[in-house]
Amino acid sequence: EESLQMWDLNKRLEAYLARVKFLEEENEVLRAEIQNAKGSPAGDSWRAKYEEELRALRDALDHAFREKCTAELARDNLYEEVQQVKSRCQKEQAAREEAKKQLSLSRKELEEERRAQIWLKERAVQLEKEVEALLEVHEEEKAGLDQEIASFSQSLESFRCAPVAFQPVEVEDYSKRLSEIWKGAVETYKTEVSQLEGSLCQAKENLWKAVEDNQQSQLQLQHLEKDLAGLKARKEMLEESLARQWQEQRGEAEKFQLAMEALEQEKQTLRVQIAQVLEDRQQLMHLKMSLSLEVATYRTLLEAESTRLQMPAG
């Protein structure tokens, strides 16, 4: 029975030794692979490559963040420019309204000047008619006075001596006075006519000035409309550029986010793989320890058995 037990134990020991040898060889292979993975240039290159890619992605992320800051600054600058353009448009709109008001006032003044000019023309025609009427009346009065003087002179010739009350000197004085009065009236009318002509010239000058101011206002209004159209076009261009930059920045941010997610997934995968390798290694160590204990136990049994077999012989 002891021989059978020893034989069975030897068989089991042989099997365990073969298993231990196989596991030790596998362990050595795994240790060599781990050492090669740790110290080999391939492992270092893989780690360096991974770190280099991670560094490149971090640099790209920093670059994207800087571009984002730059884009935000550009957006703020564009917003300020748009606000300035809006304020300028409002100012130009106010100036345009003011120009329209001035144009309407100029038109009103022009209409008033035209009315004043028409009234002055009518007044001048009326005064000319009055002067003509006065000239006709004066001519008639002068003709009547001439006839009276002629008739009076004929009546004087019919008498030998003329009365003192009807001397020709008084008639001549009367005629002189009438002519002086007529001259004064004519001079007065001439003065009024010259004043009316001066007023008419002044009205014409004011009319020309109003027309020139109107033309200048029209030109200024046209320039303001051109500037407003240019500012509107620039505003649209800036808004399109801002929208395009926002779209590009959003697309780049989405790309970087996808790249970061892919790297995070790869990192999680590597962590899982490393944890699996460590767990396998731990299991191998436990198995090695249990096999070592079992081998030591069988060695002890074999030594005890050999000692027991050697004792009778001794």
Side-chain angles (χ1 to χ4, degrees), residues 197-219:
E197 288 179 353
S199 299
L200 183 61
C201 293
Q202 186 68 28
K204 286 182 179 179
E205 290 179 358
N206 293 328
L207 181 63
W208 282 109
K209 287 181 180 179
V211 171
E212 289 178 357
D213 293 335
N214 189 6
Q215 291 178 357
Q216 291 179 359
S217 299
Q218 289 288 340
L219 292 174

Side-chain angles (χ1 to χ4, degrees), residues 102-119:
Q102 291 180 0
L103 183 61
S104 63
L105 292 174
S106 300
R107 287 178 180 174
K108 289 181 181 179
E109 291 178 358
L110 182 61
E111 292 293 331
E112 291 178 358
E113 293 292 336
R114 287 178 180 175
R115 292 175 184 175
Q117 185 180 5
I118 294 169
W119 180 80

Side-chain angles (χ1 to χ4, degrees), residues 18 22 25 40 53 60 69 71 90-91 122 135 141 155 161 164 172 192 208 211 229 238 250 252 270 275 307:
F22 175 74
E25 290 177 355
S40 63
E53 289 179 358
C69 294
Q90 291 176 358
K91 290 180 181 178
E122 292 177 355
L135 288 173
E141 289 180 354
S155 64
C161 60
V164 179
E172 290 177 357
E192 291 180 358
W208 282 109
V211 171
L238 290 173
R250 188 176 297 171
E252 290 178 358
L270 289 173
T307 305

Side-chain angles (χ1 to χ4, degrees), residues 69-305:
C69 294
T70 306
E72 289 178 354
L73 291 174
R75 181 194 63 187
D76 296 335
N77 293 326
L78 289 173
Y79 181 75
E80 290 178 359
E81 288 182 1
V82 169
Q83 292 297 324
Q84 291 177 1
V85 169
K86 286 182 180 179
S87 63
R88 189 174 177 183
C89 289
Q90 291 176 358
K91 290 180 181 178
E92 290 183 356
Q93 188 70 24
R96 186 177 179 182
E97 295 294 332
E98 186 67 23
K100 286 182 179 180
K101 289 181 181 179
Q102 291 180 0
L103 183 61
S104 63
L105 292 174
S106 300
R107 287 178 180 174
K108 289 181 181 179
E109 291 178 358
L110 182 61
E111 292 293 331
E112 291 178 358
E113 293 292 336
R114 287 178 180 175
R115 292 175 184 175
Q117 185 180 5
I118 294 169
W119 180 80
L120 289 173
K121 286 181 179 179
E122 292 177 355
R123 182 64 178 168
V125 172
Q126 186 179 0
L127 289 174
E128 288 177 356
K129 290 179 180 180
E130 290 179 359
V131 169
E132 290 177 357
L134 289 173
L135 288 173
E136 290 177 358
V137 171
H138 179 67
E139 292 294 333
E140 289 176 358
E141 289 180 354
K142 187 176 180 182
L145 288 174
D146 290 336
Q147 289 178 3
E148 288 179 359
I149 290 168
S151 64
F152 186 71
S153 62
Q154 289 176 3
S155 64
L156 286 176
E157 289 177 357
S158 64
F159 294 99
R160 291 180 180 178
C161 60
V164 179
F166 297 97
Q167 291 181 0
V169 179
E170 294 178 355
V171 175
E172 290 177 357
D173 291 336
Y174 180 69
S175 175
K176 288 180 180 179
R177 288 177 182 176
L178 286 175
S179 63
E180 288 177 357
I181 291 169
W182 169 247
K183 287 180 180 179
V186 170
E187 292 293 332
T188 303
Y189 281 111
K190 286 182 179 180
T191 304
E192 291 180 358
V193 169
S194 63
Q195 290 178 356
L196 290 172
E197 288 179 353
S199 299
L200 183 61
C201 293
Q202 186 68 28
K204 286 182 179 179
E205 290 179 358
N206 293 328
L207 181 63
W208 282 109
K209 287 181 180 179
V211 171
E212 289 178 357
D213 293 335
N214 189 6
Q215 291 178 357
Q216 291 179 359
S217 299
Q218 289 288 340
L219 292 174
Q220 187 177 4
L221 184 61
Q222 291 177 0
H223 287 302
L224 289 173
E225 288 178 353
K226 289 181 181 179
D227 293 336
L228 182 61
L231 290 173
K232 286 182 178 179
R234 187 179 178 185
K235 180 183 176 183
E236 292 177 357
M237 183 177 65
L238 290 173
E239 288 178 352
E240 290 178 357
S241 177
L242 183 62
R244 187 169 60 254
Q245 288 181 0
W246 270 107
Q247 290 179 358
E248 291 177 356
Q249 184 179 0
R250 188 176 297 171
E252 290 178 358
E254 290 178 355
K255 289 180 181 179
F256 283 119
Q257 187 66 29
L258 292 174
M260 290 297 293
E261 289 178 357
L263 288 173
E264 189 67 27
Q265 290 179 359
E266 187 177 358
K267 183 179 178 181
Q268 293 295 331
T269 304
L270 289 173
R271 284 182 178 177
V272 171
Q273 291 178 0
I274 291 169
Q276 186 68 32
V277 170
L278 291 175
E279 187 177 358
D280 293 338
R281 184 179 178 184
Q282 190 72 25
Q283 289 178 0
L284 288 173
M285 291 296 292
H286 285 296
L287 184 58
K288 181 181 178 182
M289 288 176 65
S290 61
L291 290 174
S292 298
L293 290 173
E294 192 171 355
V295 167
T297 302
Y298 280 111
R299 187 174 294 168
T300 304
L301 290 173
L302 288 173
E303 290 178 355
E305 185 66 23

